[in-house]
Amino acid sequence: MLDATTRSGGTATASPRATAAELAVAVPQATTASPAVPTRFAVRCTRVLLSPWSRLSLLVALLAVGACGVLLFEPQRLLTEGWPPQLGGAAAAAVFAVAYGVCTVAFVPRPLLNLAAGALFGAQLGLGVALGGTVLGAGIAFCLGRALGQDALRPLLRGRWLKAADGQLSRHGFRSMLAVRLFPGVPFWAANYCASVSRMGLLPFLLATALGSIPNTAAYAVAGARASAPTSPAFVIALACIALPALAGVVVAWRKRHQLRRL
């Protein structure tokens, strides 16, 4: 036979059947290795899309879209035109609270929204609606910043001021955020995203936001509810409650200026 080995020690000759079998086994191995190229490409695309800077770009794009939407919607018209007549009661309060939260994420000033809440729903209900929207908007901004921006921005905290602020928020999150909410001066959206970049927890952040926002929000809600009677005692007291914390914040910042320079 052709595939038999010579008994005298000669070399063995492979039969055609054995060669064909080896080729048949080798061909599937070559075909199964071909999908590795698309798999590697998909893995690379996934890594790029989920990278810190890609997520930060997505956050910036979402905020830009939200700001453009606010400019087109013009929420300040609520102060002049009033609430749409199709909504009323609890439904109107819920819709306004959700809209309040979304608008704060898109950089709409809270004083404007607080005045609108008081003008539309009165002092008591307006305060509750405004506080609900405040906590909702702060939570949305915190979660967006934590999920999309923290990994990219934390390596950039190299300056002394930035490191000091990050350390204060990370170690003493509740009391630091409570002080920020009680004394106006830091924009609401800036405090939200700064807290999200730090290592502060979500629950202390929301609790400090809810408690610290009560005095200022109540003053604006009362001012909005009493705006038709600017000479009334309630309106004057509300204005005083708005001005005094702002003045106290300026005084504290002036006294702490030397400490800030040493950072």
Side-chain angles (χ1 to χ4, degrees):
M1 294 179 65
L2 293 176
D3 57 349
T5 305
T6 57
R7 295 182 179 179
S8 60
T11 59
T13 304
S15 64
R17 294 181 180 178
T19 305
E22 292 177 357
L23 292 176
V25 173
V27 170
Q29 295 178 354
T31 56
T32 54
S34 58
V37 176
T39 302
R40 293 177 181 176
F41 179 75
V43 170
R44 291 179 180 178
C45 291
T46 304
R47 290 178 179 177
V48 171
L49 293 176
L50 297 180
S51 64
W53 287 103
S54 297
R55 285 180 285 158
L56 180 62
S57 301
L58 177 60
L59 176 61
V60 173
L62 290 175
L63 296 180
V65 171
C68 293
V70 167
L71 292 176
L72 294 176
F73 177 70
E74 297 180 356
Q76 65 272 15
R77 292 184 302 175
L78 293 174
L79 293 175
T80 58
E81 300 178 5
W83 189 254
Q86 295 82 3
L87 292 175
V95 171
F96 185 87
V98 173
Y100 185 114
V102 174
C103 287
T104 57
V105 177
F107 313 116
V108 176
R110 283 185 62 248
L112 177 65
L113 298 172
N114 292 334
L115 289 173
L120 295 174
F121 301 101
Q124 297 180 356
L125 182 58
L127 173 60
V129 170
L131 283 178
T134 297
V135 175
L136 176 63
I140 293 175
F142 185 91
C143 292
L144 285 176
R146 180 61 57 88
L148 301 178
Q150 186 187 43
D151 294 338
L153 295 178
R154 281 202 65 81
L156 302 179
L157 301 177
R158 299 175 182 177
R160 288 179 294 178
W161 284 31
L162 294 177
K163 287 183 178 180
D166 176 67
Q168 186 69 21
L169 290 174
S170 299
R171 291 191 300 268
H172 311 288
F174 176 79
R175 70 183 188 185
S176 300
M177 187 53 56
L178 184 64
V180 169
R181 301 305 191 193
L182 286 174
F183 296 101
V186 180
F188 183 74
W189 59 269
N192 294 337
Y193 292 114
C194 288
S196 67
V197 175
S198 70
R199 302 193 184 279
M200 180 190 302
L202 177 60
L203 184 59
F205 170 77
L206 294 179
L207 184 58
T209 297
L211 295 178
S213 300
I214 292 176
N216 187 263
T217 305
Y220 276 102
V222 173
R226 301 288 183 173
S228 58
T231 58
S232 63
F235 185 81
V236 174
I237 294 174
L239 289 182
C241 292
I242 294 172
L244 289 178
L247 181 60
V250 172
V251 171
V252 171
W254 177 262
R255 296 184 61 180
K256 297 292 183 180
R257 69 189 187 279
H258 299 294
Q259 297 180 5
L260 293 174
R261 289 175 182 175
R262 297 193 193 102
L263 294 177

